[in-house]
Amino acid sequence: AQSVTQLDSQVPVFEEAPVELRCNYSSSVSVYLFWYVQYPNQGLQLLLKYLSGSTLVKGINGFEAEFNKSQTSFHLRKPSVHISDTAEYFCAVSDPLFGNEKLTFGTGTRLTIIP
Amino acid sequence: KAGVTQTPRYLIKTRGQQVTLSCSPISGHRSVSWYQQTPGQGLQFLFEYFSETQRNKGNFPGRFSGRQFSNSRSEMNVSTLELGDSALYLCASSFPPPGTGDRYEQYFGPGTRLTVT
């Protein structure tokens, strides 16, 4: 069975500072990896995804993530955050056999930007 | 292009009642997935429908069921509601026609917030 661990439930960061949100996964098979963002009272929006190929993935809003197979990690980074980045961020994994229609999510990291 | 719509947005029900939630996917998308989001359990996969057939199912009791219509709209039903069913229910649509979009992007609706009293 697959599982996703987001160790940090809350991350406060000053505006214009860099941020890294950590994600580790556990799976006995190859996986697809995703990061989603959820703004208050909204659904989820896909930030970026790793399916195969280059381990450095660039997404929307200046975010990027690096797939590290040996450490089973998929950490999300942004070099300079803005107030508008305040939201909850979810890492998710799926089995390629199921495409991305059956996602296993982490518990989320609430990112708070301090002015 | 219109996004995923879910109705109703908010719902209050009493224990023991049943409820039906509706999801209209993006036009042309063939797959609809449902997730339950609670503060305690986080986001959990309920089930996924593709071309009117349930393809995947999560670990939820039989009180949770769903269906998909020929126009890809989907409904989920919860019978004999329990207090623990209070949650945000999200649906996501994906699987656009070939050549029209990203096969691996799921588009989420705003959710239906169900409160069971």
Side-chain angles (χ1 to χ4, degrees):
Chain A
Q2 300 167 328
S3 66
V4 178
T5 301
Q6 294 182 247
L7 289 171
D8 306 307
S9 59
Q10 296 189 62
V11 173
V13 180
F14 285 102
E15 194 173 12
E16 297 183 10
V19 68
E20 177 179 84
L21 305 184
R22 296 181 293 169
C23 172
N24 288 86
Y25 69 93
S26 172
S27 175
S28 59
V29 298
S30 61
V31 295
Y32 291 158
L33 292 156
F34 307 84
W35 274 99
Y36 284 86
V37 61
Q38 185 176 34
Y39 298 103
N41 298 316
Q42 293 187 30
L44 302 171
Q45 181 182 11
L46 180 66
L47 278 176
L48 47 80
K49 60 182 181 287
Y50 172 79
L51 306 179
S52 65
S54 174
T55 58
L56 182 62
V57 180
K58 293 191 183 296
I60 63 171
N61 300 342
F63 284 95
E64 64 179 34
E66 185 152 21
F67 170 59
N68 188 319
K69 188 173 182 179
S70 62
Q71 297 187 7
T72 60
S73 68
F74 190 55
H75 301 331
L76 181 71
R77 302 187 186 101
K78 186 170 183 177
S80 176
V81 296
H82 303 284
I83 290 288
S84 58
D85 293 323
T86 296
E88 187 139 23
Y89 292 79
F90 294 92
C91 181
V93 64
S94 74
D95 184 331
L97 282 178
F98 295 107
N100 73 327
E101 283 83 30
K102 182 180 180 181
L103 294 168
T104 299
F105 284 92
T107 51
T109 297
R110 186 171 298 278
L111 177 63
T112 301
I113 309 303
I114 305 165
Chain B
K1 183 153 90 168
V4 178
T5 58
Q6 292 187 245
T7 56
R9 290 292 311 278
Y10 302 91
L11 205 50
I12 300 175
K13 289 286 189 179
T14 305
R15 268 183 304 176
Q17 288 185 314
Q18 75 165 19
V19 68
T20 300
L21 312 182
S22 180
C23 173
S24 292
I26 291 172
S27 177
H29 284 197
R30 296 164 63 188
S31 171
V32 173
S33 303
W34 288 89
Y35 293 84
Q36 182 195 65
Q37 185 176 23
T38 61
Q41 300 297 317
L43 278 154
Q44 293 186 287
F45 173 80
L46 279 157
F47 31 65
E48 182 241 349
Y49 286 86
F50 181 86
S51 292
E52 301 180 65
T53 301
Q54 186 181 90
R55 281 203 305 189
N56 296 304
K57 190 177 189 304
N59 296 323
F60 278 81
R63 300 186 298 107
F64 292 82
S65 62
R67 59 178 175 169
Q68 186 181 34
F69 302 95
S70 59
N71 61 358
S72 292
R73 190 177 70 83
S74 177
E75 290 181 346
M76 69 163 280
N77 184 78
V78 188
S79 62
T80 320
L81 283 166
E82 301 177 0
L83 294 178
D85 297 334
S86 293
L88 181 67
Y89 290 88
L90 294 164
C91 86
S93 82
S94 61
F95 227 114
T100 67
D102 187 337
R103 160 72 178 84
Y104 292 100
E105 176 146 6
Q106 281 203 54
Y107 293 84
F108 281 80
T112 293
R113 185 163 296 282
L114 172 65
T115 302
V116 182
T117 62

